[in-house]
Amino acid sequence: MLQHIKPGDFLTLMIGAIGTVWVTMIVWSGGAADTALIRSGGKIFRVVPLSRDQQIEVPGPLGTSIITIEKRKARITSDPSPRQYCVRQGWLQQAGEIAICLPNEVSVELTGGQKKYDSLNY
Amino acid sequence: MTASIIKLDTTPEDHHIARMAAVALGLTVLENAIPSPLPGVKPGLANIVTLIVLARYGWRAAAWVSLLRVLAGSLLFGNFLAPGFFLSLSGAVCSLAMLALSMHLPQRWFGAVTHSVLAAFAHIAGQMLVVYLWLIPHSGIAYLIPIFATAALVFGTVNGLVAMRFINDAPTSSRLTG
């Protein structure tokens, strides 16, 4: 197999591989999040920085959701919603990530750097 | 009423191009049977033929084979003038443009693997451009570039190796001349 590769081909492959890794790092690294946007009933409830660890209680129609911010990550720790989707989503870390508890009308969205796109903002 | 016979004057070169395009078409059909995790990620086996033709008969013949394969393939799969056809076409045109440049690299140092990898990158670049300008005008598709670039690198290398094998094994004639 090696006899089919000429010296210049190795150069091409190397540049190609480096280019691919480079593009991947640029595209996939994403903006690091620095703030959490907490909404309740469609209105912004609080905007908190991720730099300070804290727990926030957010009231909703079903009860209180508890949002935890720790080590520059955020998650919904507890929520009265029946299926617990937002709680099971776990930690949010990158800008643009969002956890939504629809029944309790509470959501946490991470923002920062440049906003990343997803199908929601199309 | 007299039977009228329409006869096209064809040269041996025409026949040869038609044969090679048919081989490429066969590989396209074969490839469509392989399941793909993501639309657009496929090996592009037909390009092996394009590479061999490029090495043996030059760019003009390679362009004919490649474009005929895109056209006939779209008729075969029923997506002529559908988005998929324009994606194939833009990929093929960009690949050929890249090959027109890369074939002038010194042959002593650069072989089919280089041509294949460069053409594969040009292929996805052309396709992504059409997707962005026409089908999904949204910067979110940039997210897929790493997947396509990796696929281009891997499949480009493999196709180049296969093509190089044929080019090296039959240096004078026959074998794949059909």
Side-chain angles (χ1 to χ4, degrees):
Chain A
M1 195 172 99
L2 278 181
Q3 79 268 21
H4 299 305
I5 302 180
K6 296 184 180 179
D9 294 341
F10 284 113
L11 190 73
T12 309
L13 289 178
M14 223 166 67
I15 293 171
I18 291 170
T20 304
V21 170
W22 181 64
V23 166
T24 307
M25 281 185 346
I26 288 179
V27 176
W28 281 0
S29 64
D34 48 32
T35 45
L37 211 64
I38 299 166
R39 288 191 181 87
S40 175
K43 292 185 194 67
I44 292 179
F45 176 73
R46 272 176 77 181
V47 181
V48 293
L50 291 179
S51 49
R52 198 160 66 86
D53 294 355
Q54 57 181 326
Q55 280 207 334
I56 300 156
E57 292 183 3
V58 189
L62 293 186
T64 306
S65 304
I66 298 174
I67 291 161
T68 307
I69 292 171
E70 204 180 297
K71 294 178 190 157
R72 304 199 66 84
K73 292 185 288 187
R75 73 163 175 165
I76 296 176
T77 317
S78 91
D79 184 77
S81 305
R83 278 176 280 274
Q84 302 283 305
Y85 287 135
C86 56
V87 176
R88 279 153 63 185
Q89 198 170 342
W91 291 105
L92 309 179
Q93 204 166 4
Q94 290 211 320
E97 281 191 299
I98 184 166
I100 306 168
C101 304
L102 270 187
N104 206 26
E105 296 177 16
V106 170
S107 75
V108 188
E109 183 183 359
L110 299 193
T111 57
Q114 67 263 59
K115 185 161 175 152
K116 297 256 290 226
Y117 292 95
D118 60 47
S119 55
L120 290 175
N121 354 50
Y122 179 42
Chain B
M1 186 172 145
T2 53
S4 65
I5 298 168
I6 299 172
K7 193 171 187 315
L8 294 172
D9 287 324
T10 51
T11 62
E13 200 204 350
D14 294 337
H15 290 232
H16 184 71
I17 285 172
R19 276 195 209 100
M20 297 305 265
V23 174
L25 197 58
L27 287 173
T28 306
V29 174
L30 186 79
E31 178 178 281
N32 263 269
I34 303 171
S36 160
L38 185 74
V41 175
K42 45 186 183 179
L45 297 174
N47 299 319
I48 297 170
V49 180
T50 311
L51 289 168
I52 297 169
V53 173
L54 178 77
R56 296 230 186 104
Y57 308 99
W59 186 83
R60 218 181 77 91
W64 268 113
V65 168
S66 175
L67 295 176
L68 275 176
R69 193 259 308 163
V70 169
L71 180 70
S74 75
L75 293 175
L76 204 61
F77 292 112
N79 64 356
F80 179 55
L81 297 186
F85 167 75
F86 288 105
L87 289 181
S88 299
L89 187 65
S90 62
V93 168
C94 286
S95 295
L96 288 168
M98 179 57 92
L99 287 176
L101 297 175
S102 75
M103 65 185 287
H104 295 298
L105 288 169
Q107 281 189 12
R108 201 175 125 73
W109 300 102
F110 296 96
V113 175
T114 292
H115 299 157
S116 180
V117 169
L118 291 178
F121 279 126
H123 194 276
I124 54 153
Q127 287 192 327
M128 292 298 275
L129 206 64
V130 168
V131 168
Y132 180 69
L133 293 179
W134 180 37
L135 298 171
I136 311 172
H138 187 268
S139 56
I141 58 164
Y143 221 59
L144 297 175
I145 290 176
I147 300 171
F148 288 128
T150 309
L153 188 66
V154 173
F155 293 132
T157 310
V158 172
N159 288 349
L161 282 172
V162 175
M164 203 59 188
R165 238 202 88 135
F166 278 106
I167 293 165
N168 285 345
D169 276 9
T172 45
S173 64
S174 71
R175 280 300 287 269
L176 251 171
T177 55

